[in-house]
Amino acid sequence: MLTRRALLLWPVTLALAGCAPPSPTPSGGGASTSAPPPAAAGPKVGLLTNGALTDSGWNSLAGQGLEQLEKELGASGSRQNAGPAQAEEALRGFGRDGCKLVFAHGAEFGDAAKRVAEEYPDTIFVVSSGEVQGANLASLRFDLGEASYLAGMAAAALSKTGKAGQIGGQDFPPVVQGFRLFEAGGKTVNPKFTTTITYLGNWHDANAAKEKALGMIRSGADVIFQNADAAGEGIFQAAAESKDVLVIGSNANQNDLKPEIIAASAVLDVPKTFMSVARDVQSGTFKGGVYREDLKSGNVYLALNPAFETKLPAAVREKIDQARADILSGKLKLVSK
């Protein structure tokens, strides 16, 4: 597996460049009185997501990342929303349009990106949460499990029943890993801490998510860890309508969405990661491989809601801080799969 530090050491033949054609050279003799040629257009960057950019979670983060590239690099951004069946043609469209960098934001796009990358060697394709790699193909591996482990510790300390629910959109490996480590972290604080896990089969059905959450609450869960993107709104509603029920957010820092019930968030800094990749491409240091994002990279972390952080016993806060330090030092090794 390649870390970003390793990637930066390798040469590359691809560069992040604008797609605009060169300005024509003035014809005829004598000095030209024409105005200077316009500045070159910024890099053309594509983004493929599996849902709306307004989900306050996974896809919203990708949209923010593209906006940051537009603002800081002058990029010309292009966005597409497609499911796995339409992904290949959507990615091929980015290649035809001359995009030099394309983010396929979801593990389900990996196979399509691998095929299309072979057809467009001058376009760099990057798959979020993917496993694919090649000369012009890389994956971003977000290890949300480490932050989820710490979140589980906080959840177990805040829970009065010792029971939590976990609701995911689909059982993708990173989601499964995060849920498993959430419970493992909780058990270090309360050995009797247990969780119930369910998956919706999609990332948008807020009504189904609400019903699942209400069922878990009726069974005694007083903390819900959600990784369901837009469907998460239903989980927030269920918690808000119930008594003494808290939510742990994921992907984005969701603490401010409903600060009275969201105790913490396991956060991925997707915009910062997108920028890091784009700068590698721009500087000529990109190499196809895997960018691992975790606590050590600084692009994954636990964000505690200050209103609930003060409710954690001092011993638990110290335990969470120590666990984080042990993960960073390598003393505590969490199984990644």
Side-chain angles (χ1 to χ4, degrees), residues 255-277:
N255 296 349
D256 290 340
L257 292 179
K258 291 188 180 295
E260 67 280 5
I261 61 169
I262 301 178
S265 295
V267 181
L268 310 176
D269 196 335
V270 173
K272 185 178 177 182
T273 302
F274 277 17
M275 180 60 68
S276 296
V277 175

Side-chain angles (χ1 to χ4, degrees), residues 150 153 309 316-326:
L150 302 179
M153 297 174 71
E309 184 175 8
V316 173
R317 293 200 300 271
E318 292 175 5
K319 193 177 183 71
I320 292 173
D321 289 342
Q322 186 61 57
R324 181 180 182 278
D326 288 345

Side-chain angles (χ1 to χ4, degrees), residues 61-315:
L61 288 169
Q64 293 170 26
L66 185 59
E67 288 175 1
Q68 188 169 340
L69 296 185
E70 292 170 336
K71 180 179 179 180
E72 297 190 21
L73 299 183
S76 174
S78 180
R79 303 160 177 81
Q80 289 287 335
N81 180 351
Q86 298 81 35
E88 191 167 331
E89 186 53 36
L91 293 172
R92 192 173 284 114
F94 287 132
R96 286 195 300 266
D97 289 346
C99 289
K100 293 301 181 182
L101 175 62
V102 175
F103 291 98
H105 196 56
E108 65 270 37
F109 300 137
D111 290 342
K114 188 173 183 178
R115 289 190 291 268
V116 176
E118 295 176 354
E119 300 174 20
Y120 294 91
D122 292 333
T123 299
I124 292 172
F125 295 87
V126 180
V127 180
S128 299
S129 294
E131 299 288 340
V132 294
Q133 53 187 298
N136 62 321
L137 177 64
S139 291
L140 306 177
R141 187 170 299 166
F142 293 102
D143 194 347
L144 190 64
E146 294 180 343
S148 301
Y149 182 88
L150 302 179
M153 297 174 71
L158 292 169
S159 174
K160 297 176 181 178
T161 66
K163 295 180 180 180
Q166 302 194 77
I167 301 176
Q170 291 175 279
D171 59 347
F172 292 157
V175 181
V176 174
Q177 175 214 27
F179 283 176
R180 182 176 52 76
L181 289 177
F182 176 85
E183 181 170 340
K187 286 184 179 298
T188 67
V189 172
N190 176 5
K192 296 182 179 180
F193 181 73
T194 60
T195 71
T196 300
I197 300 172
T198 191
Y199 298 96
L200 304 172
N202 65 77
W203 303 91
H204 55 78
D205 192 340
N207 289 331
K210 182 177 180 179
E211 289 306 311
K212 294 289 187 182
L214 288 173
M216 291 176 170
I217 292 167
R218 286 192 292 268
S219 296
D222 60 356
V223 180
I224 307 291
F225 181 32
Q226 72 86 25
N227 190 341
D229 293 345
E233 177 58 30
I235 299 165
F236 299 145
Q237 291 174 8
E241 294 172 9
S242 304
K243 184 179 180 181
D244 297 328
V245 175
L246 303 178
V247 179
I248 304 295
S250 67
N251 297 323
N253 185 342
Q254 299 178 319
N255 296 349
D256 290 340
L257 292 179
K258 291 188 180 295
E260 67 280 5
I261 61 169
I262 301 178
S265 295
V267 181
L268 310 176
D269 196 335
V270 173
K272 185 178 177 182
T273 302
F274 277 17
M275 180 60 68
S276 296
V277 175
R279 291 200 184 281
D280 283 355
V281 175
Q282 187 180 50
S283 65
T285 55
F286 173 88
K287 180 70 177 182
V290 175
Y291 285 68
R292 181 175 180 182
E293 304 301 334
D294 51 17
L295 291 184
K296 187 171 291 187
S297 76
N299 290 345
V300 177
Y301 57 92
L302 174 66
L304 289 169
N305 181 338
F308 289 94
E309 184 175 8
T310 59
K311 297 180 181 181
L312 292 173

